[in-house]
Each structure stands twice: as C-alpha cells, then as structure tokens.
Amino acid sequence: MDDFPAKTATIDDVAKLAGVSIATVSRTISKPEKVAESTRKKVTAAIARTGYVANAMARNLRLKRSQMVLVLTPSIADPNFPGILIGLEKAASKRGYGVLIGNTDGGVTQEESYLRFLSTGMADGLIVLTGHLPVAGWGNSAAAFPPLVAATRPIDHFDIDYVGVNDMVAAKMATEYLVSLGHMHIAYIAGPAGSAVSENRQAGYAKAMSAEWLVDGDGTIEGGRAAVERLFIRDTLPTAFFCFNDDTAIGVIGALKSRGYRVPEDFSVIGFDDIPYANTITPSLTTVRQPRLQIGETAMGILLDKLTGNRDAPSKRLLHGDLVVRESCTRPRRHLLSAKRGARS
Amino acid sequence: MDDFPAKTATIDDVAKLAGVSIATVSRTISKPEKVAESTRKKVTAAIARTGYVANAMARNLRLKRSQMVLVLTPSIADPNFPGILIGLEKAASKRGYGVLIGNTDGGVTQEESYLRFLSTGMADGLIVLTGHLPVAGWGNSAAAFPPLVAATRPIDHFDIDYVGVNDMVAAKMATEYLVSLGHMHIAYIAGPAGSAVSENRQAGYAKAMSAEWLVDGDGTIEGGRAAVERLFIRDTLPTAFFCFNDDTAIGVIGALKSRGYRVPEDFSVIGFDDIPYANTITPSLTTVRQPRLQIGETAMGILLDKLTGNRDAPSKRLLHGDLVVRESCTRPRRHLLSAKRGARS
DNA sequence: CTGTTAGCGCGTTCAT
DNA sequence: ATGAACGCGCTAACAG
C-alpha cells in the first residue's frame, strides 16, 4: 500500500488512471469545488490507488515559494531556544510550513551562508533570534528585506516585526516583588554588554528603585559567579540580587553558597526566564517566566501572515511574563550592608 | 550590491549579459574545467554583476532531490536534543544540506504528517531520534525505507544504521565506579518501560553486580522522586543509586534531601547523560557524558554518505561515553541497609 | 466542467 | 568548447 520508493507516482499517472487530464487532477486537489462530483470521485480514487503525493519541488517552482521558513539562532544551546522552537514548529507545521534551523554561533560567515541559502529560494521567510539583522548594514529601506520577524531579541534602528516578553514591565514586577519583601538594597546583575534585552530589564528595575546598583555580567553562570566575587571586594553589599537571567542567578547562588552564605536566608536572588531546571536547583529559583512557546507561535504566526499577504504594518508584540515565586527570595533578615569580604569559605 | 528582492536574476539574465548560452553558464558553475578560460571569466563576471544565485527549486526539481534532511524527534525539549541538533546541523550545513525539524511529541499523527512531507520530496533523508520506525510496520524489507539513520535510540528488528553511545559499556563503567567506592548495594532506577536504552544500561549495570536491584522509573525528575518514595516503604535500602538518566538522578537527590538525608554522605547517586545543568545542582552530579555533538555529526555524516552514494551496508556506531566525576558519589559511610522509613522530613 | 498549452528555472544530452 | 532543445512535475490561464 505504501511502499516507499514506489516509483513515486506523478500527476500524469493519476490522470491516466482516472481517465482525465492532469489539469483536472490538479483542480481536484486545490479547488475541489470546481470539479464535478463524479469525476472528483474517480480522481480521488486514482490518487488513493497510486499513493500519489504532489512533488513539492515542482509545485514550489511553479508557485515561486518553498513553504519553509529559516530560523536564525545564535545558539541552539540557549536554554530558551527549545521552548521557542517548539512554538515555532507547531505554528508552522499547522499551516503546512517546514522550519529550517540555522545556527550562527554569532558568526558572520554562518549568517552569510544562511542568507545565501535564503536567496536560493529554499526558504520564504526568516525568524531572527539573534537580535540583529543578518549581515549588518543590509540595505536601508525596510522593503529591501525578505519577509522577516524578530523574536526574543529586538532589532534596533529598524521598523521590524518583533515579538518577545515585555522585559521592562516584567523586570519592574520582579524588582517590586523584592521591594515588597522589604529589600532596599537590590543589585541588578546585567547581561552581556550592549544587550538591548538587558537594558530593558535594567530600565524596569530602575523604575522600581530610587537608586540603581549595577553590576556587570554576561548572562552565563560563570558571569554570575564572577559578579558576586567582584562585589565582595567592596565594603557594602545588597540584600538581594535581580539577575539578568536564570543562568546568572544560578552562578550568583553558587558563589554565595560557596562563600558560606545561605540563600534566601542571607541573600535573596531572583532570575529571569524560568529555564527548565530553575526549580531543580537548591533553593528552587524565583524567577520570571518567559512565555517561550507563545513567543514562538505568535512570531511564526506573524511571519506566515506576511507570507500569505494578510498583514499590514510591522508591529511589536510584547507578551506578559509571569512571576514564578519559589524559594530563592525572602525578607531580608539582617543588615548585611556592612558585611566584609571573607565571611567564610 | 545585495538588495534583496532584486528581481532575482535567473540564469538567462547571466547568459544574456555574458553573451553566451545558459548551458555555458550552467557549466561554468558545475564543471568549470569544461569551459574556456576566457568565457569562464566573462560568465563569472556576469554572475557577480547580477548577483545571480541558482534557484534551488528549479535545480532540485531537475536533479530530483532537495538537499534537506528531516530530523524526527519525539521531544525538542529533551535535554539531549540541543547538543545532538548542533552536531546534526553542523555536519549538514558543511555539506550544503539543510536540516528540518520534525517534532512528533510521540504522536502517530505527527509522524504520518512528516512522512507525507518526506514523500513530497522536500527532504532526501531522515534522521530518527524516536527509537522506532515512523508509522510502525512500515514495509518489511529494509529497501523499502527512505534513506534513514537512527541516532540516540536504536530501532529494533531492523538492520538500520545507528549511532549512539555504548550504553552497556558506559553503564558498566559507572556501576564499577560505585563498586570501587565500596558500594555493595546499588539500585538501578530504570527508564520508561520498554526503553531499549534503559535495558542496555541495565545490562551494563548487571555485568558489574552479582545481584540486581531494580526499581521502576520513567526518566523524569518526578519519576526519580517517586522511585525513592517507593523504596522507603521497604525495610532495606541501597547505599547508592545508578539512575537511567540525569533527570531521574535529580529527582532521586531531591527526594533524598527532602527526607533529611545528605548526598553523597548518606547515599551516592550517579546519573547518565551529563545534561547542561548536571553541574549546577547541589551536589553537582557525577554522571556519564553522552557525546551528543559527536553523535549528531556522525549520524548526519552517515546519512549524507548514503545520499551521495558512498556507502555500503548499514552499521551500528557505538560511541564512548565518559564518566564525569563530580560530587554526588562517595564511599558508603554507614550501613544504612536497615534504615526504616520516616527518617525525617 | 474539463482539456490544452505554456511556462516556472535549471541541467543535460546531442549536435556542431 | 559551445548552443539548441527537451523535460523534471506542476499550476494557471484560456478555450471549449
């Protein structure tokens, strides 16, 4: 019934078997209502008997499209990626599109290579997770771009569709939670230098604080750890840490613990993302959940709408992030403000 | 220079501009040596001026191929997936192939849908991460399959290319490590029922033990936790746990800790996979590293070899997994063999 | 309602 | 060494 390399029946085979022309076969497939009931049945039967499946290459060549979208990501290993990909894939396959993965590793060479791929027509559109236009300085009119939507990381200076979490609002909420617990000295451990996302989170944090206390970071566990070490060289310490992301928070907690402090008893720390393992660490991490699946789905939805023509002006879609309260934050217990370095190790 | 929707030059444009026939243009691209030096230069120049890039659909239609491979996975969220995907993608793009993601969620419907996709010719081959042939009972002769290679999870009853870690050897090694530490009572917390991978790991474990002590599990954190709870109903307990995977180990450790025990002081636990967060939990997890990237690369390599014709009989490629010693295992301290339930909570 | 025809853009004989 | 012509498999006019 469904052997595989079964000579792959073509539309001609079906037409011949059904005793009609190929045009009729084509119609029965795409516009069934425009073909007589009787012949439709014959054709349908013939299709079933031959196991016919339209050749995508031929059809796409004719239709000048590919029914695929290319997803450009700087890192498949990013803990947020799988969730987003699931959403992307789900929305795409639901509408008959395939999703191609393009891992750039931040490299310009790879970006160019994928772009060349795009220009061969193997993909109709682009989902960009990198936070910048592939190959900086691409034309200057937005019309010069291929259909594209950015997700997770906004792209500056261009009026491009974007969907991601509302970082500022979420960060403000997280910070306010810390404040409501009684914290007055909260440090923000930033993400990679120049990260627009980190800047937005910082802005949200700033809105909830009268004075900012900024610490550099890079979004990695090691970066979080290093930030804490640097902080301990100073004379004063915050009572709570609002971290750019969960990885940073994990690093912060690790460093704190290895210095002999307890979390949340001695210091509260809150992360951002709610990565899959956020609730498996000790203490389980209070954080802001990023609606990954939804981000993926709506980003793909917007792109496909553009591809199929039902879409007007670019829009920024900011989704809500939920605060997930777990164990890593509590009321400040003592005034550790004057804690000196070298508590213990 | 590289505007985007730049009318997309066709081979005719290039031919016209270079003053040659399209056949010559085609040759200059695929068999440069068969064209005169002088004309080659003209054509090359014309290509550069027009920014010509061959249309993939047309070319693939003509060549009856797609230059894409479909990766069927039961779960993008599996912690092992990203690493494998990176390897897959790397090897594919290096050889000019694109990789398409097919998330089945274990559903037959999705599998069928992706298979139909395959049969449209949008993909030339398949990488199967599900551990079974898509749509069980597919023909009976291996020749009826499309080019395919299984990775991570072997497919029984068929002579299919497979690449994964050598579970038995690795499990034996892990168990022997526990034994070398002095443990005599080691329980194996199994994976999902019927998992061939879990059976192999169990077999390796058995080889290092005189008597098996089996506990059901399902490969999830919750499953690991539950396994421990069930164990505490009994009168005797092991001094160490060899877990099917890291998630299970995380659950085991969590349950042990919440019962007031310490790991590794009271119980040693060892996992399998070395997922990204294995070293961030407390205690950091001793485990067997699965060579994900390498698995992905060699699986894709084999598939592409088959697609390009340089390949003979199917082969099983078993890669070595390294034991990664961290903090979750130590020598058994006391004889907890008669520990009763309800230690504390 | 149905069949005929003309390409979509390219690779490839087959002549020259 | 190069060009003319055919066809991969399909959809979209255009007739009838």
Side-chain angles (χ1 to χ4, degrees):
Chain A
M1 189 129 184
D2 54 322
D3 315 61
F4 215 86
K7 279 289 76 100
T8 321
T10 78
I11 198 172
D12 290 285
D13 300 327
V14 179
K16 210 149 298 174
L17 185 62
V20 299
S21 76
I22 62 171
T24 300
V25 175
S26 181
R27 282 194 205 95
T28 4
I29 294 175
S30 48
K31 318 171 170 59
E33 71 282 3
K34 313 213 65 174
V35 59
E37 169 72 20
S38 57
T39 57
R40 190 187 344 179
K41 286 171 97 163
K42 291 191 303 185
V43 175
T44 313
I47 288 179
R49 296 239 300 94
T50 56
Y52 170 72
V53 182
N55 177 294
M57 291 305 163
R59 155 184 297 213
N60 290 338
L61 168 58
R62 184 61 234 256
L63 265 23
K64 293 181 177 304
R65 56 157 202 208
S66 66
Q67 294 284 91
M68 310 257 215
V69 347
L70 177 60
V71 176
L72 242 38
T73 171
S75 166
I76 291 177
D78 179 311
N80 284 306
F81 184 69
I84 292 171
L85 180 55
I86 290 175
L88 250 18
E89 209 277 334
K90 199 170 168 192
S93 74
K94 184 177 306 178
R95 289 172 65 170
Y97 276 76
V99 1
L100 271 149
I101 298 303
N103 194 205
T104 69
D105 260 330
V108 174
T109 312
Q110 291 93 318
E111 277 185 7
E112 284 177 336
S113 138
Y114 287 116
L115 243 29
R116 187 162 25 260
F117 190 83
L118 216 204
S119 67
T120 65
M122 272 310 286
D124 299 330
L126 216 45
I127 294 280
V128 179
L129 266 28
T130 57
H132 61 258
L133 252 16
V135 182
W138 232 14
N140 33 14
S141 77
F145 304 147
L148 156 182
V149 7
T152 292
R153 295 184 177 135
I155 295 182
D156 290 336
H157 312 307
F158 293 93
D159 190 25
I160 290 177
D161 282 281
Y162 171 70
V163 19
V165 71
N166 191 326
D167 291 298
M168 215 188 61
V169 169
K172 178 158 173 285
M173 171 179 64
T175 309
E176 282 170 348
Y177 168 66
L178 251 18
V179 169
S180 77
L181 249 27
H183 291 279
M184 306 193 64
H185 305 278
I186 307 170
Y188 173 63
I189 314 286
S195 156
V197 170
S198 179
E199 282 166 14
N200 289 338
R201 291 181 190 170
Q202 178 183 326
Y205 153 85
K207 281 202 173 185
M209 303 292 295
S210 50
E212 294 187 53
W213 185 336
L214 270 24
V215 181
D216 289 340
D218 60 7
T220 69
I221 293 179
E222 202 35 65
R225 201 183 300 275
V228 169
E229 296 308 329
R230 255 177 287 121
L231 223 40
F232 270 85
I233 294 178
R234 306 175 47 156
D235 286 340
T236 61
L237 290 169
T239 60
F241 296 87
F242 169 40
C243 304
F244 165 65
N245 66 8
D246 288 350
D247 275 350
T248 298
I250 289 173
V252 166
I253 290 176
L256 252 17
K257 280 165 78 172
S258 68
R259 272 186 172 269
Y261 290 104
R262 287 168 309 162
V263 176
E265 292 82 351
D266 299 325
F267 295 97
S268 285
V269 5
I270 189 168
F272 203 112
D273 282 351
D274 191 27
I275 61 177
Y277 290 90
N279 60 0
T280 72
I281 66 169
T282 309
S284 59
L285 192 65
T286 288
T287 185
V288 175
R289 174 170 298 150
Q290 188 144 183
R292 290 179 278 268
L293 201 138
Q294 199 187 342
I295 289 176
E297 286 184 327
T298 86
M300 184 58 77
I302 292 177
L303 180 60
L304 297 190
D305 282 351
K306 295 176 74 163
L307 253 26
T308 50
N310 353 327
R311 194 138 261 279
D312 35 342
S315 67
K316 310 288 179 195
R317 198 79 61 97
L318 265 19
L319 274 28
H320 178 73
D322 293 314
L323 176 66
V324 181
V325 176
R326 288 198 273 250
E327 312 170 338
S328 64
C329 298
T330 187
R331 304 196 348 252
R333 228 183 32 171
R334 298 195 208 137
H335 290 283
L336 281 167
L337 290 177
S338 55
K340 297 290 189 296
R341 82 198 78 159
R344 287 173 69 215
S345 93
Chain B
M1 192 133 185
D2 54 323
D3 314 62
F4 216 86
K7 279 290 73 106
T8 321
T10 79
I11 197 172
D12 290 285
D13 300 328
V14 179
K16 210 149 299 175
L17 186 61
V20 299
S21 75
I22 65 169
T24 299
V25 175
S26 182
R27 283 196 203 92
T28 10
I29 293 175
S30 48
K31 320 170 167 59
E33 71 282 4
K34 311 214 65 174
V35 59
E37 168 73 19
S38 57
T39 58
R40 189 188 341 175
K41 287 172 96 165
K42 290 190 304 183
V43 174
T44 312
I47 288 179
R49 296 240 299 92
T50 57
Y52 171 72
V53 182
N55 176 294
M57 291 305 163
R59 152 183 298 210
N60 290 339
L61 168 58
R62 181 65 234 256
L63 266 20
K64 292 179 178 308
R65 59 159 201 206
S66 67
Q67 293 285 89
M68 311 256 217
V69 346
L70 177 60
V71 176
L72 242 38
T73 173
S75 165
I76 291 177
D78 180 311
N80 283 305
F81 183 70
I84 293 172
L85 180 55
I86 291 174
L88 251 17
E89 208 278 333
K90 200 171 167 189
S93 72
K94 185 178 303 177
R95 291 171 65 170
Y97 277 76
V99 0
L100 269 149
I101 298 304
N103 193 204
T104 70
D105 260 329
V108 175
T109 312
Q110 291 91 318
E111 278 186 5
E112 284 177 336
S113 137
Y114 288 116
L115 243 29
R116 186 163 24 259
F117 190 82
L118 216 204
S119 67
T120 65
M122 272 310 287
D124 299 331
L126 217 45
I127 294 280
V128 179
L129 266 27
T130 58
H132 60 258
L133 251 17
V135 183
W138 230 13
N140 32 15
S141 77
F145 303 147
L148 157 180
V149 6
T152 293
R153 295 184 178 139
I155 294 181
D156 290 337
H157 313 308
F158 293 92
D159 190 25
I160 290 177
D161 283 281
Y162 171 69
V163 19
V165 71
N166 191 326
D167 291 299
M168 216 188 60
V169 169
K172 179 160 174 285
M173 170 181 65
T175 309
E176 282 170 347
Y177 168 66
L178 252 15
V179 169
S180 77
L181 249 26
H183 292 278
M184 308 192 63
H185 305 279
I186 306 171
Y188 173 63
I189 315 284
S195 155
V197 170
S198 180
E199 282 167 14
N200 288 337
R201 291 180 190 170
Q202 179 183 326
Y205 153 84
K207 282 201 171 184
M209 303 293 294
S210 50
E212 294 186 52
W213 185 337
L214 271 24
V215 181
D216 288 339
D218 61 5
T220 68
I221 293 179
E222 202 34 64
R225 199 184 300 274
V228 169
E229 296 308 329
R230 257 179 284 120
L231 223 41
F232 269 86
I233 294 177
R234 305 175 49 158
D235 286 340
T236 61
L237 290 170
T239 59
F241 297 86
F242 169 40
C243 304
F244 164 66
N245 65 8
D246 288 351
D247 275 349
T248 299
I250 288 173
V252 166
I253 291 176
L256 252 18
K257 280 165 79 173
S258 68
R259 271 184 171 271
Y261 290 105
R262 287 167 309 162
V263 176
E265 291 82 353
D266 300 324
F267 295 97
S268 284
V269 3
I270 189 169
F272 202 111
D273 282 351
D274 191 26
I275 60 177
Y277 290 91
N279 60 0
T280 72
I281 66 169
T282 309
S284 58
L285 192 65
T286 288
T287 185
V288 176
R289 174 172 299 152
Q290 189 145 184
R292 289 179 278 268
L293 201 138
Q294 199 187 342
I295 289 176
E297 285 184 327
T298 88
M300 184 58 77
I302 292 178
L303 180 60
L304 298 190
D305 281 351
K306 295 176 74 162
L307 290 178
T308 50
N310 352 327
R311 192 137 263 278
D312 34 342
S315 67
K316 310 286 180 196
R317 199 80 62 94
L318 264 20
L319 274 28
H320 179 74
D322 294 315
L323 176 66
V324 181
V325 176
R326 286 198 274 250
E327 313 170 337
S328 64
C329 297
T330 187
R331 307 199 342 256
R333 228 184 29 173
R334 299 195 206 138
H335 291 282
L336 282 168
L337 291 178
S338 54
K340 297 291 190 296
R341 85 198 76 159
R344 287 174 68 216
S345 92

